[in-house]
Amino acid sequence: MAHVTSAQTIDAPIEKVFAAWDDFGNIDRFNPAIAKSVLLDGSPATGHGASRQCTLGDGKNFIRERVIEHVPNKRMVIDIYEGSVPLKTAKGTLDFEKFGTDRTKVTMRLDFTPKFGLLGKLMIPMMKPQFAKNVRDMLAGNAAYLERGEVVNRA
């Protein structure tokens, strides 16, 4: 399994930062790689078990994700369990750390295994830089959304 990790400090209270990520159907507000996100039928809007489908920026590809670990203001783990992208497995772990009253550090680790066996393993060196950029852009988009109310521009 390969992984990428990135962190972003945001000038906002931890409760507000966590709430933005916990508003599970609306990640398209700050993730520039996502054209549209919607909760799946029957899904809770927040918390453990929340599930969504995200249409990627190309308008064709999609991923389905669900919250598999939820510790308010501390940690959220998201399982990417289905999609049209070449991933066998993928899991995003978000850790939230409070700095004073109005600053929060968000660290995201994306663990992934590509499809296609040996060929997929050979693709990891090409995939990691793109996934690292996507994680950095998502964290920066979250900061812009929370600090300045900016909804991100789509890819």
Side-chain angles (χ1 to χ4, degrees):
M1 182 174 285
H3 74 272
V4 296
T5 303
S6 191
Q8 175 85 39
T9 301
I10 301 169
D11 291 327
I14 196 167
E15 297 81 6
K16 185 175 178 181
V17 176
F18 189 85
W21 289 93
D22 198 28
D23 183 11
F24 207 61
N26 292 306
I27 194 169
D28 57 347
R29 293 180 180 167
F30 60 83
N31 185 342
I34 304 297
K36 181 180 178 183
S37 63
V38 295
L39 290 172
L40 296 175
D41 287 342
S43 172
T46 65
H48 191 273
S51 301
R52 66 182 171 215
Q53 179 166 313
C54 299
T55 303
L56 303 183
D58 64 6
K60 300 175 191 172
N61 289 296
F62 74 96
I63 55 174
R64 289 190 178 148
E65 304 174 308
R66 65 181 156 230
V67 178
I68 59 172
E69 185 178 336
H70 185 269
V71 182
N73 304 324
K74 297 274 185 211
R75 174 175 272 205
M76 183 181 296
V77 180
I78 301 165
D79 177 32
I80 302 169
Y81 66 92
E82 187 179 344
S84 59
V85 295
L87 293 173
K88 183 177 180 182
T89 64
K91 178 175 67 172
T93 301
L94 294 148
D95 288 305
F96 302 84
E97 186 178 352
K98 184 176 184 173
F99 285 105
T101 56
D102 293 325
R103 294 192 84 205
T104 304
K105 180 180 178 183
V106 181
T107 303
M108 182 173 188
R109 177 182 168 115
L110 179 65
D111 295 287
F112 64 95
T113 303
K115 291 180 181 176
F116 313 123
L118 180 58
L119 178 60
K121 287 182 182 180
L122 294 172
M123 292 171 42
I124 289 174
M126 294 179 288
M127 295 173 83
K128 283 182 82 167
Q130 184 59 49
F131 285 165
K133 179 185 181 317
N134 288 351
V135 168
R136 284 191 310 271
D137 289 350
M138 184 177 4
L139 291 172
N142 181 243
Y145 176 69
L146 292 168
E147 292 174 354
R148 299 182 297 282
E150 294 176 16
V151 175
V152 299
N153 293 321
R154 301 295 173 250

